[in-house]
C-alpha cells in the first residue's frame, strides 16, 4: 500500500446533502476517508455511506453496462449505443 499522506477535500455525492469529506488516496483507490471538520455546512458529519465509496465505485455488483428490462422481467446487458438508440426511439414515440 502506497498511501498518499495528503488529505484532499471533496464532497460525498451519494445524496443531495453533499457532505464535506477528506480523502487519502492509494493510487486510484480511496485509502482513508473522514468528515471535513472545516466544511461550512456539515462540519465533520458523514453518514456511513460516505466512508465506503469504494464499495459503491468498485463493488462486485456495480453495473457496468446499461440493462434492458425484457417482457418477462429479466434484465439483459446491452451496449450504450443500443441503449441510447432505444431510449431515443421510445421518447420520440411518446412525444
Ligand atoms: S455522507 Fe451521507 S448524508 Fe452526506 S451526502 Fe453522503 S450519503 Fe448523503
Amino acid at each position: 500500500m502506497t498511501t498518499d499522506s495528503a488529505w484532499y477535500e471533496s464532497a460525498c455525492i451519494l445524496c443531495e446533502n453533499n457532505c464535506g469529506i477528506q480523502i487519502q488516496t492509494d493510487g486510484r483507490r480511496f485509502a482513508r476517508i473522514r468528515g471535513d471538520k472545516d466544511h461550512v455546512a456539515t462540519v465533520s458529519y458523514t453518514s456511513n455511506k460516505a466512508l465506503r465509496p469504494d464499495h459503491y465505485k468498485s463493488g462486485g455488483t456495480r453495473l457496468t453496462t446499461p440493462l434492458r428490462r425484457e417482457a418477462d422481467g429479466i434484465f439483459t446487458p446491452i451496449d450504450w449505443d443500443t441503449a441510447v438508440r432505444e431510449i431515443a426511439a421510445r421518447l420520440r414515440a411518446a412525444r
Side-chain angles (χ1 to χ4, degrees), residues 3-10 21-25 30-38 51:
T3 302
D4 180 349
S5 62
W7 286 94
Y8 298 96
E9 293 181 353
S10 188
I21 57 176
Q22 296 179 328
I23 301 169
Q24 283 185 326
T25 59
F30 301 131
R32 298 178 66 200
I33 298 168
R34 65 185 181 193
D36 183 354
K37 66 178 174 25
D38 296 325
L51 305 179

Side-chain angles (χ1 to χ4, degrees), residues 10 12 14 18 20-21 23 32 35 38 40 43 48 53 57 73 76:
S10 188
C12 176
L14 296 175
N18 300 126
I21 57 176
I23 301 169
R32 298 178 66 200
D38 296 325
V40 66
V43 194
N48 285 334
K57 183 172 82 65
T76 303

Side-chain angles (χ1 to χ4, degrees), residues 48-90:
N48 285 334
K49 288 195 288 187
L51 305 179
R52 303 179 61 219
D54 266 345
H55 168 76
Y56 300 102
K57 183 172 82 65
S58 307
T61 57
R62 179 176 172 267
L63 298 179
T64 57
T65 70
L67 300 176
R68 178 199 300 124
R69 186 171 58 192
E70 308 294 353
D72 61 1
I74 299 294
F75 289 92
T76 303
I78 58 175
D79 62 72
W80 281 102
D81 288 342
T82 301
V84 169
R85 190 172 48 251
E86 290 184 4
I87 291 168
R90 288 186 178 194

Side-chain angles (χ1 to χ4, degrees), residues 12-19 21 45-50:
C12 176
I13 59 168
L14 296 175
C15 86
E16 72 281 3
N17 291 328
N18 300 126
C19 297
I21 57 176
Y45 172 81
T46 69
S47 67
N48 285 334
K49 288 195 288 187

